[in-house]
Amino acid sequence: MNASPPFPLGCRPHARPLSGCATLPSSGGSETRTPEPLPTTGDGGLIEFDAGDPFDSRRVGEPADAAHHRVVIWNDDADSRDIGVRLRRPETDEAPLDVAPTFPAYGSLRIDVFRRADYVLRVDPPDGTDRRLGVRRDFVDCNDSATHVAVRPDGSVRARVVSTALACDVASESGEDAPTTPEGTPASSV
């Protein structure tokens, strides 16, 4: 049983490399991108979230079916502020959403994510350190799940993931997040 050699035709390991063969990889394979780990999905420090009706909404993907994940960013301040919001796919570095709208006082931006993929959500407050959060692909298959993000008056960013469906595994792999449910959710839904 003869296996084909890992070298292109005419390129063999010699004492002196042949022209054009010296730069070929010895494995013969293509380069693959190592996936970056997703950041945590929340911090467990967001208890009160009163985002109200959004002043704007965006969509990632097409609503082919009802399964999606909501991301709501709330300006928890009495002043209007520019807040950067970027949703990026770590495996391709594609950014299907990259905006910096002016949030009105206590205003919120809603993002409906229909395209099933892992995302890194970056929130850049005007006065504070940007925050990166993971939005896992399995969140999109949930019946009802959301990432809530509050940008506090001091520029700090707090976040949590909420779900009302058994099919949603919202606890992060690092164990830093705890699933929460909206008030009034029946115990059978948790």
Side-chain angles (χ1 to χ4, degrees), residues 163-189:
S163 171
T164 58
L166 273 176
C168 303
D169 178 18
V170 296
S172 75
E173 293 173 7
S174 64
E176 293 180 30
D177 305 321
T180 58
T181 57
E183 197 172 305
T185 302
S188 62
S189 297

Side-chain angles (χ1 to χ4, degrees), residues 79-97:
D79 294 326
S80 63
R81 303 186 284 179
D82 293 337
I83 299 173
V85 177
R86 185 170 197 243
L87 197 61
R88 179 181 60 84
R89 293 183 60 190
E91 68 273 3
T92 63
D93 215 28
E94 170 198 8
L97 182 71

Side-chain angles (χ1 to χ4, degrees), residues 10 12 17 23 30 32 41 43 53 56 58 84 100 118 134 141 144-146 149 166 173 178-179:
R12 302 276 188 254
T23 59
S30 64
T32 57
T41 58
D43 52 35
D53 291 330
D56 194 7
R58 304 293 173 104
D118 288 332
D141 286 340
D144 191 12
S145 69
V149 181
L166 273 176
E173 293 173 7

Side-chain angles (χ1 to χ4, degrees), residues 89 91 113-119 137-141:
R89 293 183 60 190
E91 68 273 3
V113 181
F114 291 95
R115 187 181 312 149
R116 190 174 193 273
D118 288 332
Y119 297 95
R137 70 179 56 244
D138 58 327
F139 291 173
V140 178
D141 286 340

Side-chain angles (χ1 to χ4, degrees), residues 43-67:
D43 52 35
L46 181 59
I47 297 168
E48 292 185 30
F49 190 78
D50 188 16
D53 291 330
F55 72 90
D56 194 7
S57 62
R58 304 293 173 104
R59 184 175 64 208
V60 174
E62 294 300 321
D65 56 21

Side-chain angles (χ1 to χ4, degrees), residues 129-150:
T129 305
D130 72 326
R131 180 76 190 276
R132 288 175 171 77
L133 299 159
V135 176
R136 296 194 333 247
R137 70 179 56 244
D138 58 327
F139 291 173
V140 178
D141 286 340
C142 288
N143 295 334
D144 191 12
S145 69
T147 297
H148 291 165
V149 181

